[in-house]
């Protein structure tokens, strides 16, 4: 049974993003991933009595950048509030957040879904603090690490404009790229710096809004899609059977592929929100917002558009190169070296991505990869090596740190563009394949491909293919065709 037929799926996403500031939101403790537990703490982020918070200016700037990137209105005055609840990872007993007056509101995100341009509204973007982290040790109780306590978070809430699980995934992907390019977060869902909760309901055609169910614990883009697909189908099944949907929070269980009920959903009034008395209203003058706007980096839509028009790249390439700053930087380095755009894009998306992922984009190795890719492509462009040799040259550059030129001379990989040498091989091949030669002369064009293959085989793949083609044609057609000797594209190096 398909949920999409009788019911319209209505999804809104609530995303939390850790900002990549150097220090926490309301104290000067460093923000770092993987430090020993409880080493990045102070009285403020431990919630000790009498400790007072001070707003991190950089966190505010990042929040404004996100608001602008999402086309929001930036509030001249926004307020901090306390959200009260008890949980062992929350030492103060409340979270500092924004409630009635968020920093930014009324924006949108656009993305393509099935060749259709979709626009999803952004209700609000506000600044808040993260909680600590509980570590559960089977049989040994639970431990708490407050290193994450007070790390600045953005909460980004969408309008319920998303109409399918796949659209939810596309929305998240675009949001991730946007925040990445805005330079405010590393948005790694696996490391928890981007977290996503969803509100999902089903609405019968023309009927009233359905009951909202909140889905939590989706830890990857793929699990967002799977969880929401599953949840839409579950609700459709209940409604078709005449049952009611319970307003509740459900957790996604990745291994079982189901959502399960975890608690009935709190209402906002359960949190007893009230204005944070320790922080003054956040006042942003228009000049400040304009300065942040003027310093905004290039955003995804603009970058894709520029890549398409400046380099005639297909939509797929512009999307892949924009989705990753690392791939984009590799591409930029190749363009700066005046290498052909489409070849550069292919190499970056293929070999560049493969080597980059293999070293987890270690900055030192990326330097080697960048120059290696640039030099390898230059050697191919100059005809010194063939495209297929290029891949193994780059492999060796990345594993040894040698330059591409060093690898080529050490291994004797130069492409053979010596006309005299190749003519000799071509004549040998023609002599050894009388049947194929006869086929070609009888008009079978395909026979030529076979003969080119034979020449490549005898030269261990190093022959310049364009030259081999020309030489074969000349010999087979009586030597009267083709260009002047010495005009080969390979420049005569061997
Ligand atoms: Zn602190
Ligand atoms: Mn929140």
């Amino acid at each position: 049974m398909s949920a999409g037929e009788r019911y319209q799926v209505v999804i809104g996403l609530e995303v939390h993003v850790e900002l990549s500031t150097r220090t926490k939101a309301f104290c000067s403790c460093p923000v770092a991933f993987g430090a020993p537990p409880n080493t990045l703490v102070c009285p403020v982020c431990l919630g000790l009595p009498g400790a007072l918070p001070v707003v991190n200016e950089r966190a505010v700037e990042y929040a404004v950048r996100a608001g602008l990137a999402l086309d929001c209105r930036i509030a001249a005055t926004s307020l901090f509030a306390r959200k009260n609840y008890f949980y062992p990872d929350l030492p103060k007993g409340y979270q500092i957040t924004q409630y009635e007056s968020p920093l930014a509101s009324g924006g949108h995100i656009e993305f393509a879904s099935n060749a259709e341009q979709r626009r999803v509204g952004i209700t609000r973007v506000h600044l808040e603090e993260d909680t600590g982290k509980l570590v559960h040790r089977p049989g040994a109780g639970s431990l708490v690490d407050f290193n994450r306590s007070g790390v600045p978070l953005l909460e980004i809430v969408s309008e319920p404009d998303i109409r399918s699980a796949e659209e939810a995934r596309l929305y998240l992907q675009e949001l991730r790229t946007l925040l990445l390019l805005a330079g405010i977060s590393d948005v790694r869902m696996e490391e928890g710096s981007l977290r996503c909760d969803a509100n999902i309901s089903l609405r019968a055609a023309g009927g009233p809004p359905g009951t909202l169910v909140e889905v939590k614990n989706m830890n990857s883009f793929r699990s967002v899609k799977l969880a929401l697909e599953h949840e839409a189908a579950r609700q459709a099944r209940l409604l078709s059977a005449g049952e009611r949907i319970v307003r509740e929070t459900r957790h996604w269980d990745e291994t079982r592929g189901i959502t399960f009920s975890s608690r009935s959903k709190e209402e906002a009034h359960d949190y007893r929100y009230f204005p944070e008395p320790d922080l003054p209203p956040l006042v942003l003058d228009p000049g400040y917002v304009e300065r942040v706007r003027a310093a905004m980096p290039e955003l995804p839509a603009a970058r894709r558009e520029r890549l398409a028009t400046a380099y005639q790249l297909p939509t797929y390439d512009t999307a892949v190169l924009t989705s990753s700053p690392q791939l984009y930087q590799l591409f930029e380095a190749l363009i700066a070296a005046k290498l052909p755009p489409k070849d550069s894009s292919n190499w970056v998306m293929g070999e560049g991505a493969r080597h980059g992922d293999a070293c987890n984009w270690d900055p030192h190795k990326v330097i080697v990869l960048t120059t290696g890719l640039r030099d390898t492509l230059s050697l191919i462009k100059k005809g010194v090596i063939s495209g297929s040799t290029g891949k193994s040259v780059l492999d060796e550059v990345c594993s040894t740190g040698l330059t591409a030129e060093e690898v080529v001379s050490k291994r004797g990989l130069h492409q053979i563009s010596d006309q005299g040498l190749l003519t000799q091989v071509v004549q040998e091949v023609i002599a050894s394949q009388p049947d194929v030669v006869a086929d070609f002369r009888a008009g079978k064009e395909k026979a030529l491909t076979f003969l080119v293959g034979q020449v490549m085989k005898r030269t261990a793949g190093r022959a310049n293919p364009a030259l081999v083609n020309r030489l074969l044609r000349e010999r087979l057609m009586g030597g009267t065709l083709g260009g002047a000797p010495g005009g080969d594209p390979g420049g005569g190096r061997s």
Side-chain angles (χ1 to χ4, degrees):
M1 159 187 45
S2 145
E5 284 168 17
R6 286 182 59 187
Y7 304 100
Q8 181 177 50
V9 180
V10 178
I11 298 171
L13 294 182
E14 188 182 300
V15 169
H16 285 90
V17 185
E18 269 180 12
L19 297 178
S20 51
T21 51
R22 288 172 48 207
T23 56
K24 293 187 180 179
F26 303 109
C27 62
S28 55
C29 291
V31 172
F33 188 77
N38 299 307
T39 53
L40 311 175
V41 291
C42 74
V44 174
C45 54
L46 286 175
L48 300 188
L52 290 172
V54 177
V55 179
N56 179 338
E57 194 183 329
R58 189 48 62 88
V60 172
E61 185 196 324
Y62 282 10
V64 172
R65 265 199 225 170
L68 292 173
L70 294 164
D71 238 341
C72 290
R73 284 187 308 276
I74 307 298
T77 302
S78 62
L79 301 172
F80 288 103
R82 288 188 180 181
K83 180 181 183 179
N84 299 280
Y85 65 95
F86 169 77
Y87 208 65
D89 62 9
L90 186 70
K92 294 196 297 293
Y94 62 84
Q95 177 193 33
I96 302 178
T97 177
Q98 296 191 305
Y99 182 55
E100 275 160 311
S101 317
L103 190 137
S105 57
H108 62 263
I109 285 189
E110 285 187 24
F111 54 91
S113 167
N114 283 327
E116 187 196 344
Q117 194 66 11
R118 294 281 295 129
R119 186 185 176 112
V120 171
I122 300 293
T123 316
R124 56 187 284 148
V125 177
H126 74 238
L127 193 57
E128 61 185 32
E129 58 177 340
D130 211 344
T131 59
K133 216 178 207 165
L134 291 177
V135 184
H136 303 287
R137 295 266 165 84
S142 292
L143 302 168
V144 60
D145 174 8
F146 289 116
N147 284 350
R148 205 181 64 180
S149 170
V151 166
L153 286 182
L154 279 190
E155 182 178 311
I156 301 165
V157 182
S158 88
E159 292 289 312
D161 293 342
I162 298 165
R163 292 291 167 266
S164 69
E166 170 63 4
E167 265 187 34
R169 192 185 65 81
L170 293 169
Y171 165 92
L172 270 185
Q173 208 133 49
E174 185 64 12
L175 177 61
R176 180 187 163 276
T177 307
L178 208 71
L179 298 171
L180 206 55
L181 265 61
I184 62 175
S185 172
D186 59 10
V187 286
R188 291 206 183 128
M189 225 173 161
E190 328 74 56
E191 285 178 14
S193 61
L194 184 151
R195 309 197 277 271
C196 172
D197 300 328
N199 282 310
I200 173 169
S201 64
L202 259 51
R203 177 184 202 146
T211 304
L212 274 188
V213 170
E214 187 181 24
V215 182
K216 286 184 172 288
N217 195 40
M218 301 173 289
N219 298 322
S220 66
F221 290 97
R222 187 175 156 270
S223 66
V224 166
K225 182 165 184 243
L226 293 175
L228 294 179
E229 262 165 8
H230 168 85
E231 182 57 22
R234 187 189 70 89
Q235 292 186 19
R237 205 159 48 236
L238 286 173
L239 290 173
S240 303
E243 287 181 57
R244 281 189 332 117
I245 305 295
V246 180
R247 184 181 165 93
E248 62 182 351
T249 298
R250 298 180 70 87
H251 267 67
W252 168 243
D253 182 328
E254 182 88 43
T255 37
R256 288 193 291 164
I258 57 159
T259 63
F260 63 92
S261 177
S262 51
R263 61 173 189 224
S264 63
K265 177 140 177 55
E266 307 84 357
E267 306 275 338
H269 62 248
D270 294 330
Y271 289 117
R272 294 288 184 267
Y273 283 97
F274 67 85
E276 166 60 66
D278 291 340
L279 286 166
L282 183 62
V283 179
L284 304 174
D285 74 73
Y288 169 80
V289 175
E290 284 321 302
R291 280 196 302 281
V292 175
R293 191 195 298 277
M296 283 284 276
E298 183 180 42
L299 294 174
R303 179 166 293 178
R304 287 191 293 257
E305 177 69 36
R306 185 171 56 78
L307 289 175
T309 48
Y311 308 117
Q312 278 79 52
L313 294 181
T315 310
Y316 176 81
D317 296 42
T318 64
V320 173
L321 294 177
T322 301
S323 70
S324 151
Q326 291 101 333
L327 293 185
Y328 177 71
Q329 276 159 19
L330 278 182
F331 178 73
E332 283 279 271
L334 301 184
I335 289 298
K338 307 242 179 314
L339 291 160
K342 182 54 183 153
D343 288 344
S344 299
S345 171
N346 290 345
W347 276 79
V348 166
M349 295 191 299
E351 296 305 294
R354 193 167 67 77
H355 286 288
D357 288 344
C359 70
N360 210 8
W361 299 96
D362 173 318
H364 294 103
K365 300 211 165 133
V366 168
I367 294 172
V368 175
L369 171 61
T370 307
T371 47
L373 198 50
R374 188 196 61 202
D375 296 349
T376 303
L377 279 188
S378 302
L379 292 173
I380 295 171
K381 192 182 158 201
K382 285 187 219 145
V384 176
I385 54 173
S386 65
S388 54
T389 306
K391 286 187 185 178
S392 52
V393 170
L394 185 63
D395 284 352
E396 197 161 334
V397 167
C398 288
S399 63
T400 62
L402 292 173
T403 67
E405 286 85 352
E406 286 165 349
V407 171
V408 167
S409 28
K410 193 181 110 196
R411 302 208 150 258
L413 296 173
H414 290 97
Q415 178 166 282
I416 301 169
S417 297
D418 181 311
Q419 193 156 333
L421 193 75
L422 286 184
T423 302
Q424 205 181 320
V425 181
V426 161
Q427 276 163 348
E428 283 166 26
V429 167
I430 289 175
S432 67
Q433 301 286 347
D435 296 351
V436 184
V437 168
D439 281 352
F440 179 78
R441 291 204 164 118
K444 268 176 109 184
E445 191 63 21
K446 259 189 163 172
L448 188 72
T449 314
F450 176 80
L451 295 173
V452 172
Q454 290 302 304
V455 176
M456 296 311 275
K457 204 169 158 188
R458 285 171 186 244
T459 57
R462 287 165 52 213
N464 176 336
L467 185 55
V468 171
N469 236 287
R470 206 189 78 204
L471 292 175
L472 271 168
R473 273 185 197 280
E474 283 175 5
R475 292 296 167 290
L476 293 170
M477 303 179 90
T480 53
L481 294 176
D488 63 85
R493 259 182 103 170
S494 68

